[in-house]
């Protein structure tokens, strides 16, 4: 994925740790969807990619399987840059991969949820060279 100006970054996430650590500490916008699933975040990104927004992070980054974590954060462009068939195929295929895994409804203990939040946040921060440790120290 091509990384452009951070001012064009729109972070789509269902992870509450992302805005807690990153909001106000960069030239990007965060949209938190706490009631959306991992798959729902991918669908939001897909719809934006179909409208011509650029996908800046890979939809299946990391080694945690989609059915093992409830959290997902993706970066798309705020601005429409034009439809890209390769990106639309990538995001559609990612949703297909998620759909192949059986949906698991687990009542994770709070500490496990926090661990999953941290993994997702770390992957996102690493993708844009955001200082994850500094972000955690700024957590509200």
């Amino acid at each position: 994925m091509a990384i452009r100006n951070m001012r064009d970054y729109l972070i789509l996430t269902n992870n509450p740790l992302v805005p807690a650590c990153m909001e106000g500490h960069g030239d990007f916008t965060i949209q938190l969807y706490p009631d959306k699933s991992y798959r729902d975040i991918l669908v939001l990104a897909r719809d934006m990619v179909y409208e011509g927004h650029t996908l800046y992070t890979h939809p299946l980054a990391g080694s945690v399987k989609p059915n093992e974590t409830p959290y997902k954060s993706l970066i798309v462009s705020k601005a429409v840059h034009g439809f890209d068939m390769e990106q639309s195929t990538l995001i559609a295929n990612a949703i297909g991969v998620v759909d192949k895994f059986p949906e698991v409804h687990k009542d994770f203990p709070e500490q496990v949820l926090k661990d999953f939040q941290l993994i997702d946040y770390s992957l996102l921060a690493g993708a844009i060279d955001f200082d994850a440790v500094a972000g955690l120290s700024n957590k509200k």
Side-chain angles (χ1 to χ4, degrees), residues 113-128:
L113 289 173
K114 287 181 180 183
D115 288 346
F116 282 135
Q117 290 172 13
L118 183 60
I119 291 166
D120 176 69
Y121 164 70
S122 298
L123 288 168
L124 177 69
I128 60 173

Side-chain angles (χ1 to χ4, degrees), residues 86-108:
E86 188 175 315
Q87 288 193 358
S88 67
T89 300
L90 178 67
I91 191 73
N93 288 343
I95 293 169
V97 168
V98 169
D99 289 345
K100 287 180 185 179
F101 286 96
E103 191 171 355
V104 179
H105 296 285
K106 295 181 183 175
D107 291 323
F108 292 111

Side-chain angles (χ1 to χ4, degrees), residues 28-42:
F28 41 77
T29 301
I30 301 169
Q31 288 184 351
L32 176 64
Y33 299 94
D35 298 326
K36 300 261 185 218
S37 69
Y38 184 113
R39 185 183 190 283
D40 292 338
I41 297 298
L42 293 179

Side-chain angles (χ1 to χ4, degrees), residues 46-63:
R46 179 205 60 199
D47 293 349
M48 293 184 74
V49 168
Y50 286 178
E51 292 171 359
H53 295 265
T54 300
L55 183 62
Y56 287 139
T57 54
H58 195 285
L60 296 176
S63 61

Side-chain angles (χ1 to χ4, degrees), residues 65-85:
K65 291 182 181 82
N67 67 336
E68 293 177 347
T69 180
Y71 300 107
K72 187 64 188 167
S73 299
L74 283 173
I75 302 175
V76 298
S77 64
K78 290 180 195 174
V80 173
H81 297 287
F83 181 77
D84 183 308
M85 180 59 88

